[in-house]
Amino acid sequence: MNNDRVWEMYFQDRYQAATQEACRARIDWLVTEATRGTGEVLDLGCSQGVLPILLGRAGSRVLGVDVEAPAIAFAQARLAEEPAEVQGRVTFVCADAGTWDPGRRFATVVLGEVLEHLPDPAVLIAAARRHIVDGGRLLVTVPLGWLPHPDHRQAFMPTDLIALLGADFGVRALELADEKIHVIAEAGG
């Protein structure tokens, strides 16, 4: 199980300032980019639900999916503390995103700090493609290179990430920030 503490890192002051600032900057970048699009947002690997709740606060309709039941339970408990209008815009589902079928497609799909945890990240990229409309936006963040963490299975350099996105997604922007790779891609190549 991934003992993620992203909620604490984003909302509380329990970590080194630089670590918290980097976490907040990454998530704020995802919020900004996701709200630039129109339509519903899908957050695959949503963990404790920080991004879906922030997007719900910003007025977006968002579905957060994670395979870990404790993370989804935590996210649902935090969502229950939000105003009714935010609760009405955000849904959480516990499912394996690689095999799950939501029965619809989304304007924006987010993969925030999830690919590095997977033995085969191509499975999640394929799932993202199945769940996104043609011309939809894919937002990805991953650590730059190897970040020592007991749950990390992959290391990414920009060329690795571009190759992983392959023909299914055309990279529209790639930037490095706080030892993270941020990518905006478009479905359809």
Side-chain angles (χ1 to χ4, degrees):
M1 181 170 117
N2 177 10
N3 293 312
D4 199 352
R5 300 284 182 232
V6 69
W7 188 275
E8 292 173 2
M9 193 175 298
Y10 189 88
F11 289 108
Q12 300 170 0
D13 292 323
R14 296 185 180 181
Y15 296 86
Q16 293 178 358
T19 301
Q20 276 196 287
E21 288 170 16
C23 172
R24 290 173 179 159
R26 178 185 60 80
I27 292 171
D28 292 345
W29 178 84
L30 289 169
V31 169
T32 298
E33 292 303 326
T35 57
R36 287 181 200 259
T38 59
E40 197 171 3
V41 177
L42 174 62
D43 183 1
L44 295 176
C46 71
S47 186
Q48 295 181 321
V50 173
L51 182 64
I53 289 172
L54 291 173
L55 287 170
R57 288 177 182 176
S60 297
R61 296 195 59 76
V62 60
L63 175 58
V65 178
D66 202 284
V67 70
E68 294 189 10
I72 291 298
F74 183 94
Q76 289 171 329
R78 298 299 71 76
L79 181 60
E81 299 167 353
E82 294 290 320
E85 61 271 10
V86 175
Q87 291 181 37
R89 290 190 283 264
V90 178
T91 304
F92 291 108
V93 173
C94 185
D96 179 343
T99 58
W100 168 76
D101 181 7
R104 63 188 189 275
R105 294 168 72 190
F106 299 80
T108 301
V109 175
V110 177
L111 302 174
E113 302 298 296
V114 65
L115 294 174
E116 67 274 13
H117 296 276
L118 304 175
D120 185 3
V123 171
L124 196 56
I125 296 296
R129 184 59 185 107
R130 285 193 310 274
H131 302 324
I132 196 168
V133 298
D134 290 339
R137 291 164 43 99
L138 176 69
L139 307 176
V140 180
T141 65
V142 293
L144 174 62
W146 184 252
L147 177 66
H149 185 281
D151 194 43
H152 285 195
R153 294 185 172 94
Q154 304 292 328
F156 290 98
M157 297 304 284
T159 54
D160 301 321
L161 195 51
I162 291 168
L164 181 63
L165 295 173
D168 288 333
F169 292 99
V171 173
R172 300 298 176 241
L174 184 148
E175 64 181 49
L176 303 177
D178 296 313
E179 299 182 22
K180 304 287 183 182
I181 304 170
H182 298 186
V183 171
I184 301 170
E186 184 177 309

